[in-house]
Amino acid sequence: MLSAVCREQALDQLRHCDVFQPNRDEALALTGQRTVEAIDTTGAGDVFAAAFVLGTLSGWTPAERVRFATLRASLSVRQFGGSLAAPGWHDIATWWREADEELRQDYAFVVGLLPSHRLVPVRRASATLAAVSERG
C-alpha cells in the first residue's frame, strides 16, 4: 500500500499520460483498495493491451481504445483460464445484445467490428487446478 502522499503524487504524474496500464498490485496501490472481485486475472493485462492495439489499428480515439480494452479485459476475468478466457467476438456480441441503451451509445464504435454472420461460442478448457484448489 502506498501512503496517501505517494498515491497523490503518483496520480498527479498520471495526469500527463494518455494511457497507463497498471498490473493488479499497482492498481490496488493507486486506488487504495485491498481486493478486486475477479475469478482469475491471469492474462487480463495482455487482453487489455491486445484490444488497445486493435483499437489503434482501427483508428479509434484514445477514449474508444481504452473503453474497448477495458471491456475485453473485464470480460476475460469472469472465468478461469488466462488466455483461454480472452473474450472472442461471440462474447462481445453477447455483451452487446445484453447491454443497456446507455452502454450501447458509449460503445457504438464497436458495431462495425461485430461480424454479421452467426457466431458460435468458444469452448474453453476446464480450470482443473483452480477447481481442485478451491476444494481445499
Side-chain angles (χ1 to χ4, degrees):
M1 296 301 289
L2 294 175
S3 70
V5 172
C6 287
R7 184 179 309 115
E8 185 177 321
Q9 289 174 343
L11 291 173
D12 185 56
Q13 290 300 310
L14 288 174
R15 295 183 213 294
H16 304 288
C17 295
D18 291 326
V19 176
F20 173 61
Q21 295 183 0
N23 63 33
R24 179 188 176 275
D25 293 338
E26 293 165 338
L28 291 174
L30 288 171
T31 60
Q33 300 298 309
R34 294 182 180 207
T35 61
V36 291
E37 291 184 32
I39 294 174
D40 180 6
T41 60
T42 305
D46 294 332
V47 169
F48 182 96
F52 190 86
V53 169
L54 174 68
T56 301
L57 296 174
S58 297
W60 296 342
T61 68
E64 291 169 337
R65 294 176 213 169
V66 170
R67 280 184 182 273
F68 185 66
T70 301
L71 169 63
R72 291 212 55 222
S74 67
L75 291 174
S76 78
V77 300
R78 292 182 174 181
Q79 51 194 312
F80 291 107
S83 64
L84 292 173
W89 289 113
H90 178 272
D91 301 303
I92 295 167
T94 299
W95 174 85
W96 176 259
R97 283 192 307 273
E98 296 171 356
D100 64 34
E101 187 57 35
E102 184 177 346
L103 280 175
R104 284 179 174 229
Q105 289 176 10
D106 290 343
Y107 286 86
F109 60 93
V110 173
V111 174
L113 288 179
L114 294 176
S116 57
H117 61 280
R118 183 176 178 271
L119 298 169
V120 179
V122 174
R123 183 172 179 265
R124 293 183 167 87
S126 299
T128 54
L129 292 177
V132 170
S133 68
E134 287 179 349
R135 285 188 261 159

Tab-separated table of all heavy atoms in Angstrom, residues 24 35-42 44 73-74 76-80:
chain	number	residue	atom	x	y	z
A	24	ARG	N	-2.114	-5.630	-11.361
A	24	ARG	CA	-3.056	-5.712	-10.242
A	24	ARG	C	-2.536	-4.984	-9.010
A	24	ARG	O	-3.239	-4.182	-8.407
A	24	ARG	CB	-3.339	-7.177	-9.914
A	24	ARG	CG	-4.287	-7.346	-8.746
A	24	ARG	CD	-4.381	-8.823	-8.342
A	24	ARG	NE	-5.198	-8.998	-7.176
A	24	ARG	CZ	-4.769	-8.877	-5.923
A	24	ARG	NH1	-3.518	-8.584	-5.677
A	24	ARG	NH2	-5.590	-9.048	-4.912
A	35	THR	N	-8.716	-5.451	-2.341
A	35	THR	CA	-9.151	-6.629	-3.088
A	35	THR	C	-9.790	-6.207	-4.398
A	35	THR	O	-10.219	-5.074	-4.561
A	35	THR	CB	-10.201	-7.445	-2.285
A	35	THR	OG1	-11.344	-6.622	-2.059
A	35	THR	CG2	-9.641	-7.924	-0.967
A	36	VAL	N	-9.899	-7.154	-5.333
A	36	VAL	CA	-10.653	-6.994	-6.577
A	36	VAL	C	-11.546	-8.208	-6.725
A	36	VAL	O	-11.177	-9.315	-6.421
A	36	VAL	CB	-9.747	-6.835	-7.807
A	36	VAL	CG1	-8.995	-5.522	-7.830
A	36	VAL	CG2	-8.762	-7.937	-7.884
A	37	GLU	N	-12.760	-7.973	-7.222
A	37	GLU	CA	-13.698	-9.074	-7.431
A	37	GLU	C	-13.479	-9.638	-8.827
A	37	GLU	O	-14.004	-9.122	-9.794
A	37	GLU	CB	-15.135	-8.586	-7.265
A	37	GLU	CG	-15.458	-8.218	-5.834
A	37	GLU	CD	-16.917	-7.831	-5.671
A	37	GLU	OE1	-17.758	-8.384	-6.390
A	37	GLU	OE2	-17.175	-6.978	-4.829
A	38	ALA	N	-12.688	-10.668	-8.900
A	38	ALA	CA	-12.405	-11.323	-10.174
A	38	ALA	C	-12.162	-12.793	-9.897
A	38	ALA	O	-11.688	-13.164	-8.832
A	38	ALA	CB	-11.179	-10.699	-10.830
A	39	ILE	N	-12.479	-13.613	-10.867
A	39	ILE	CA	-12.267	-15.050	-10.722
A	39	ILE	C	-10.809	-15.385	-10.997
A	39	ILE	O	-10.185	-16.132	-10.263
A	39	ILE	CB	-13.209	-15.828	-11.660
A	39	ILE	CG1	-14.656	-15.618	-11.221
A	39	ILE	CG2	-12.864	-17.307	-11.658
A	39	ILE	CD1	-15.672	-16.215	-12.169
A	40	ASP	N	-10.257	-14.847	-12.072
A	40	ASP	CA	-8.880	-15.150	-12.458
A	40	ASP	C	-8.374	-14.004	-13.314
A	40	ASP	O	-8.843	-13.814	-14.433
A	40	ASP	CB	-8.848	-16.473	-13.243
A	40	ASP	CG	-7.447	-16.873	-13.679
A	40	ASP	OD1	-6.466	-16.196	-13.297
A	40	ASP	OD2	-7.329	-17.857	-14.407
A	41	THR	N	-7.423	-13.234	-12.799
A	41	THR	CA	-6.924	-12.071	-13.542
A	41	THR	C	-5.755	-12.417	-14.453
A	41	THR	O	-5.224	-11.536	-15.121
A	41	THR	CB	-6.493	-10.952	-12.574
A	41	THR	OG1	-5.444	-11.456	-11.734
A	41	THR	CG2	-7.651	-10.466	-11.738
A	42	THR	N	-5.380	-13.687	-14.511
A	42	THR	CA	-4.272	-14.096	-15.368
A	42	THR	C	-4.573	-13.714	-16.819
A	42	THR	O	-5.580	-14.121	-17.374
A	42	THR	CB	-4.041	-15.619	-15.279
A	42	THR	OG1	-3.853	-15.972	-13.925
A	42	THR	CG2	-2.833	-16.033	-16.108
A	44	ALA	N	-5.345	-10.775	-18.040
A	44	ALA	CA	-6.217	-9.611	-18.275
A	44	ALA	C	-5.446	-8.432	-18.855
A	44	ALA	O	-5.944	-7.731	-19.738
A	44	ALA	CB	-6.928	-9.212	-16.989
A	73	ALA	N	-10.958	-6.836	-21.239
A	73	ALA	CA	-10.279	-7.312	-20.024
A	73	ALA	C	-11.298	-7.677	-18.949
A	73	ALA	O	-11.148	-8.686	-18.258
A	73	ALA	CB	-9.307	-6.254	-19.519
A	74	SER	N	-12.352	-6.874	-18.817
A	74	SER	CA	-13.363	-7.172	-17.789
A	74	SER	C	-14.120	-8.450	-18.116
A	74	SER	O	-14.477	-9.217	-17.216
A	74	SER	CB	-14.331	-6.004	-17.610
A	74	SER	OG	-15.139	-5.820	-18.757
A	76	SER	N	-12.753	-10.945	-19.661
A	76	SER	CA	-11.806	-12.051	-19.501
A	76	SER	C	-11.664	-12.511	-18.055
A	76	SER	O	-11.329	-13.669	-17.819
A	76	SER	CB	-10.428	-11.660	-20.055
A	76	SER	OG	-9.719	-10.827	-19.161
A	77	VAL	N	-11.908	-11.645	-17.089
A	77	VAL	CA	-11.720	-12.036	-15.680
A	77	VAL	C	-12.966	-12.693	-15.095
A	77	VAL	O	-12.980	-13.053	-13.924
A	77	VAL	CB	-11.276	-10.852	-14.787
A	77	VAL	CG1	-9.961	-10.276	-15.282
A	77	VAL	CG2	-12.342	-9.776	-14.706
A	78	ARG	N	-13.976	-12.892	-15.893
A	78	ARG	CA	-15.204	-13.533	-15.413
A	78	ARG	C	-15.099	-15.050	-15.346
A	78	ARG	O	-16.012	-15.712	-14.896
A	78	ARG	CB	-16.382	-13.149	-16.303
A	78	ARG	CG	-16.760	-11.704	-16.184
A	78	ARG	CD	-17.948	-11.420	-17.057
A	78	ARG	NE	-18.434	-10.081	-16.870
A	78	ARG	CZ	-19.471	-9.587	-17.510
A	78	ARG	NH1	-20.132	-10.338	-18.376
A	78	ARG	NH2	-19.860	-8.358	-17.297
A	79	GLN	N	-14.003	-15.594	-15.841
A	79	GLN	CA	-13.836	-17.041	-15.812
A	79	GLN	C	-12.365	-17.390	-15.713
A	79	GLN	O	-11.500	-16.549	-15.903
A	79	GLN	CB	-14.466	-17.672	-17.045
A	79	GLN	CG	-14.046	-17.058	-18.356
A	79	GLN	CD	-14.958	-17.509	-19.457
A	79	GLN	OE1	-15.225	-18.681	-19.574
A	79	GLN	NE2	-15.436	-16.577	-20.261
A	80	PHE	N	-12.102	-18.632	-15.388
A	80	PHE	CA	-10.735	-19.116	-15.276
A	80	PHE	C	-10.149	-19.340	-16.656
A	80	PHE	O	-10.871	-19.598	-17.607
A	80	PHE	CB	-10.691	-20.454	-14.518
A	80	PHE	CG	-11.037	-20.325	-13.069
A	80	PHE	CD1	-12.247	-20.790	-12.586
A	80	PHE	CD2	-10.141	-19.750	-12.183
A	80	PHE	CE1	-12.564	-20.683	-11.251
A	80	PHE	CE2	-10.446	-19.638	-10.840
A	80	PHE	CZ	-11.666	-20.116	-10.378
